[in-house]
Amino acid sequence: MEEKGCSREEVLALLAGYRSRDVPHSRIFSSMCTVPHEIAVAAHALFVSTNLGDPGLYPGTAEIERRLIADLGDLLHGTGIGGYATSGGTESNIQAIRIAKKLHPTEKPNIVVPASAHFSFDKTRDILGVETRAAPYKEGSYTVDTDAMAELIDKNTVAVLAVAGTTEYGVVDDVPAAAKLARENDIWCHVDAAFGGLVIPFLKNSAPFDFAVDGVSSITLDPHKMGMSTIPCGTLLLRNPEHMKLLSVDSPYLTMKTSFTLTGTRPGADVAGAYAVMKYLGREGFRDIVAGCLENTRRLVSGMEAFGYKTVLPPVMNLAAFHPAEIPEGWKVSRTRAGHLRFVMMPHVTRDVVEAFLEDVSRLQ
Ligand code: 0PR
């Protein structure tokens, strides 16, 4: 830090210079985050100085968090759902497994996860000291083989995971089968719907994945992905709100005498942003946005197929994967572990973006 400060204009010009080096969203197919909705940005600004780490000081903001959780719980067919707003899917996944581990004390805990599990479960393994046992995909699909899961479960298994909207292929595991395994073994069933949680409820034909499925204990759902909130905003939703107490530690000098979140100080701004988007759009608005993303996904697929690119599987949601092939310069497309091209068709990937991309692809021909 220099001795003397700069003017406001100088600081902002300096920052703008750095910002201009970032990749514009109109070139990004590789991200599950998007440009936040305008109403989220406005709400974020209003709540920028709030700290949900000390909710007694911000009862209004804390009420928004309760309403956000209640509304998402309701959307996911729950009643009296508990939980809280996290920093994202990683925190939600860690905290869910932390609960599962506490419910089933054992010396060598393990969790059984699909091969598709997000790398946040590697962090979970490290932090919580739980072994992660990955079950393979079902032959010819990118969803988990639940028979293989059953074989991996033993007396030290504290949880099974199903993914609803996998990071790489956007498919939905057989949640009812995973939840059945959890019921039969009296263990936790966590559903990672970080991405799919705000897509699947708005699809015309969707697989069961939420609290309507008997045995689902908790769900990760990230408003900072398809919820178009400001970053960072995740949620952990718990079928039984009482389970949150398993996470609590004493915080005697604060307005709340116990703390159950992973982070201490935590923003209220993104929570207000997420809630604002839900109030503003309603289910109708979300349905329209998801329909638009699906329409653009179909256009991408038909355009790519016309140039000979082949999809790995028909898209289930707004994520398309293609067999390895060349991509024009200047576009951000990620590759899955298997080397497939992965396009996440977020709201910022508009029809114009798709057409501009296809135009560039045509020049490769
Ligand atoms: N669960 C699933 C199914 C996910 O896809 C992700 C993240 C997480 C959990 C973890 O969520 P947080 O990153 O919020 O903790 N999926 C994206 C991915 O790994 C995250 C992302 C988003 C990465 C935007 C890059 C990016 O530009 O692809």
Side-chain angles (χ1 to χ4, degrees), residues 304 309 325-329 331 333 335 341 343 357 361 364:
M304 293 286 275
Y309 290 75
E326 194 191 350
I327 283 297
E329 285 287 311
W331 294 92
V333 178
R335 285 179 195 267
L341 300 171
F343 292 77
F357 175 74
V361 174
L364 289 177

Side-chain angles (χ1 to χ4, degrees), residues 30-33 87-91 93 118-120 163 165-167 192 194-195 220 222 224-225 342:
S30 60
S31 174
M32 283 189 160
C33 290
S87 55
T90 302
E91 177 178 346
N93 288 339
H118 183 258
F119 59 77
S120 49
V163 188
T166 61
T167 311
D192 185 352
F195 180 69
T220 288
D222 286 354
H224 70 200
K225 295 189 166 77
R342 165 182 176 261

Side-chain angles (χ1 to χ4, degrees), residues 108-119:
K108 284 189 168 171
N110 71 67
I111 59 173
V112 174
V113 306
S116 65
H118 183 258
F119 59 77

Side-chain angles (χ1 to χ4, degrees), residues 94-106:
I94 293 170
Q95 292 283 76
I97 301 306
R98 200 172 146 213
I99 296 175
K101 193 184 159 193
K102 283 182 184 281
L103 274 176
H104 293 273
T106 157

Side-chain angles (χ1 to χ4, degrees), residues 113-162:
V113 306
S116 65
H118 183 258
F119 59 77
S120 49
F121 286 93
D122 295 333
K123 300 181 186 180
T124 305
R125 177 191 61 213
D126 244 29
I127 294 168
L128 298 181
V130 294
E131 182 197 345
T132 46
R133 298 182 173 178
Y137 294 132
K138 212 162 41 189
E139 189 71 33
S141 92
Y142 287 89
T143 57
V144 71
D145 178 344
T146 49
D147 292 336
M149 281 191 119
E151 281 170 30
L152 291 172
I153 295 175
D154 65 15
K155 64 176 184 3
N156 291 321
T157 304
V158 299
V160 290
L161 169 74

Side-chain angles (χ1 to χ4, degrees), residues 51-322:
N51 168 22
L52 283 169
D54 200 358
L57 298 183
Y58 307 97
T61 314
E63 177 62 21
I64 295 177
E65 182 179 22
R66 275 191 292 278
R67 286 175 184 257
L68 174 71
I69 297 299
D71 282 3
L72 288 173
D74 183 43
L75 179 70
L76 301 194
H77 300 107
T79 33
I81 293 304
Y84 76 97
T86 65
S87 55
T90 302
E91 177 178 346
S92 305
N93 288 339
I94 293 170
Q95 292 283 76
I97 301 306
R98 200 172 146 213
I99 296 175
K101 193 184 159 193
K102 283 182 184 281
L103 274 176
H104 293 273
T106 157
E107 260 180 33
K108 284 189 168 171
N110 71 67
I111 59 173
V112 174
V113 306
S116 65
H118 183 258
F119 59 77
S120 49
F121 286 93
D122 295 333
K123 300 181 186 180
T124 305
R125 177 191 61 213
D126 244 29
I127 294 168
L128 298 181
V130 294
E131 182 197 345
T132 46
R133 298 182 173 178
Y137 294 132
K138 212 162 41 189
E139 189 71 33
S141 92
Y142 287 89
T143 57
V144 71
D145 178 344
T146 49
D147 292 336
M149 281 191 119
E151 281 170 30
L152 291 172
I153 295 175
D154 65 15
K155 64 176 184 3
N156 291 321
T157 304
V158 299
V160 290
L161 169 74
V163 188
T166 61
T167 311
E168 292 189 319
Y169 297 97
V171 294
V172 183
D173 284 325
D174 186 344
V175 175
K180 184 162 175 272
L181 288 176
R183 284 203 317 275
E184 286 166 359
N185 291 279
D186 193 21
I187 53 177
W188 194 264
C189 176
H190 181 61
V191 176
D192 185 352
F195 180 69
L198 282 172
V199 179
I200 305 167
F202 307 113
L203 296 176
K204 286 212 178 76
N205 301 306
S206 61
F209 81 103
D210 61 15
F211 292 112
V213 179
D214 192 17
V216 168
S217 320
S218 55
I219 301 179
T220 288
L221 181 157
D222 286 354
H224 70 200
K225 295 189 166 77
M226 281 299 287
M228 293 164 287
S229 72
T230 48
I231 295 172
C233 189
T235 60
L236 172 63
L237 304 169
L238 300 173
R239 184 187 290 275
N240 179 353
E242 291 294 304
H243 283 137
M244 194 107 98
K245 292 188 183 146
L246 292 168
L247 298 174
S248 72
V249 297
D250 293 341
S251 50
Y253 61 91
L254 296 185
T255 52
M256 292 280 284
K257 302 302 167 204
T258 56
S259 167
F260 48 79
T261 55
L262 193 59
T263 55
T265 300
R266 60 193 186 97
D270 56 298
V271 174
Y275 187 63
V277 177
M278 290 176 61
K279 289 305 272 185
Y280 184 76
L281 290 179
R283 292 181 191 225
E284 207 175 61
F286 267 101
R287 226 174 274 127
D288 285 351
I289 287 187
V290 168
C293 292
L294 288 178
E295 175 66 30
N296 290 334
T297 308
R298 282 191 292 271
R299 170 67 190 127
L300 176 80
V301 168
S302 66
M304 293 286 275
E305 282 177 347
F307 295 125
Y309 290 75
K310 292 198 169 54
T311 51
V312 176
L313 71 172
V316 173
M317 50 186 80
N318 50 327
L319 199 161
F322 295 87

